[in-house]
Amino acid sequence: METLVLSPATQLAPAAPPWTLQYLPRVDSTNLRAAALPAWSAVLAGAQTAGRGRNGRSWISDSGGVWLSAVVPCPEPRARWAVLPLVAGWALIRSLQELGVAGPRLRWPNDVMVARRKLAGILVERFSSETAVIGIGLNVFNSPEDFDASLAGSTVRLADLVMLRCSLLDVSEAVLGSIRQAYAVLSGGGFSGIVADLNRSWTPASRVTLQLHGGNTLIEGEFLGIDEQGRVRVEASDSGVCVYDASQVQQLRELDGSSGDAAHLV
Ligand code: BTN
């Protein structure tokens, strides 16, 4: 196990400790390895044997991707931790833009897409009352479709989008720096700015389906963006504007004829 202290350029708040990053060539899940670590620790793996996806699904994590978990203090008030997937998504998108990716966007609540393909997924988990673990799976050189043919055409890799001149560690450092900045914005009361930024980035009048947890309920309607709590707003023709938080929604899918929306999941 290697412990790295990142360069000052990746830090934002001088008062906060630097990220302490452990690199592990092969683990079950970086989120599990990070679970008991203190805030501002991070775990980067070369490969995961039991990568965790949203809703209890697994995440294909062969070598060549960024499999990264970052531990942050639970934001105050604690109920705000539910907005962390959006804050992390916003941070990831900003770091991808800085790496030269054109048009990355969030598919609420936790997928980073380019056009209709999934580039990255985010899984925020809480293993203690004090901290939250932000898990990021970013396709870089890996080919998840080699392990699950049904993913062919639905995922995209960073290396397909930009001429990558840096290492997976450099990419991870950029992401961690961006998470720190986004966390500072959140702590400074700036979540409404993040919401406004995300709402500007979404395609107007797009249609979505929402599959709710605990039943077969499928809601179809116009995606109206997110509200000040980070909840999705959808206008269904029969029931008007409905608001759901991420814990209520199993899956959001975008409709407009594309089938390229399968998650990077098995
Ligand atoms: C999703 O889209 O369902 C979220 C996938 C999150 C995968 C990442 S890879 C690093 C971290 N460790 C895990 O076990 N999962 C997350």
Side-chain angles (χ1 to χ4, degrees):
M1 181 172 74
E2 209 178 327
T3 297
L4 306 161
V5 176
L6 303 187
S7 61
T10 61
Q11 319 302 333
L12 180 75
W19 284 110
T20 300
L21 175 62
Q22 296 176 9
Y23 174 74
L24 301 167
R26 193 175 175 82
V27 289
D28 45 4
S29 155
T30 55
N31 272 20
L32 295 180
R33 294 306 108 207
L37 297 179
W40 308 114
S41 304
V43 178
L44 174 67
Q48 297 183 117
T49 54
R52 292 152 72 90
R54 195 162 171 249
N55 295 322
R57 288 174 290 195
S58 60
W59 178 264
I60 298 170
S61 321
D62 54 313
S63 61
V66 164
W67 319 128
L68 177 68
S69 295
V71 187
V72 296
C74 255
E76 294 294 346
R78 302 266 159 132
R80 298 284 279 168
W81 86 276
V83 304
L84 278 178
L86 289 170
V87 174
W90 183 70
L92 181 55
I93 284 171
R94 286 163 63 91
S95 57
L96 291 167
Q97 286 168 334
E98 278 174 22
L99 287 165
V101 176
R105 65 184 177 89
L106 202 62
R107 181 174 62 184
W108 185 92
N110 70 338
D111 294 334
V112 173
M113 313 289 290
V114 171
R116 306 290 296 183
R117 294 179 180 227
K118 184 161 170 171
L119 175 60
I122 295 166
L123 175 66
V124 177
E125 296 189 277
R126 258 183 86 184
F127 300 94
S128 85
S129 58
E130 300 303 311
T131 56
V133 176
I134 298 172
I136 291 178
L138 169 64
N139 300 318
V140 183
F141 301 108
N142 58 304
S143 301
E145 64 273 19
D146 290 350
F147 297 84
D148 180 352
S150 73
L151 296 174
S154 66
T155 64
V156 66
R157 312 181 304 172
L158 185 58
D160 297 330
L161 301 171
V162 292
M163 183 75 80
L164 207 56
R165 298 182 198 282
C166 59
S167 66
L168 295 179
L169 177 61
D170 294 331
V171 173
S172 305
E173 288 196 12
V175 172
L176 289 173
S178 190
I179 289 175
R180 178 179 291 283
Q181 288 186 9
Y183 191 88
V185 172
L186 178 66
S187 302
F191 184 62
S192 57
I194 295 177
V195 167
D197 207 28
L198 288 172
N199 276 335
R200 272 192 297 274
S201 73
W202 274 311
T203 316
S206 60
R207 292 194 71 75
V208 294
T209 58
L210 296 183
Q211 189 185 338
L212 301 186
H213 281 295
N216 296 324
T217 317
L218 194 67
I219 291 155
E220 183 179 334
E222 186 177 334
F223 177 71
L224 301 177
I226 54 174
D227 69 7
E228 287 291 310
Q229 278 79 51
R231 299 173 301 188
V232 68
R233 298 175 66 240
V234 172
E235 181 162 21
S237 49
D238 47 353
S239 46
V241 178
C242 301
V243 178
Y244 301 96
D245 66 43
S247 69
Q248 296 173 282
V249 178
Q250 176 144 7
Q251 194 173 64
L252 177 148
R253 287 294 176 258
E254 297 162 335
L255 302 172
D256 54 13
S258 167
S259 60
D261 65 350
H264 177 182
L265 300 163
V266 291

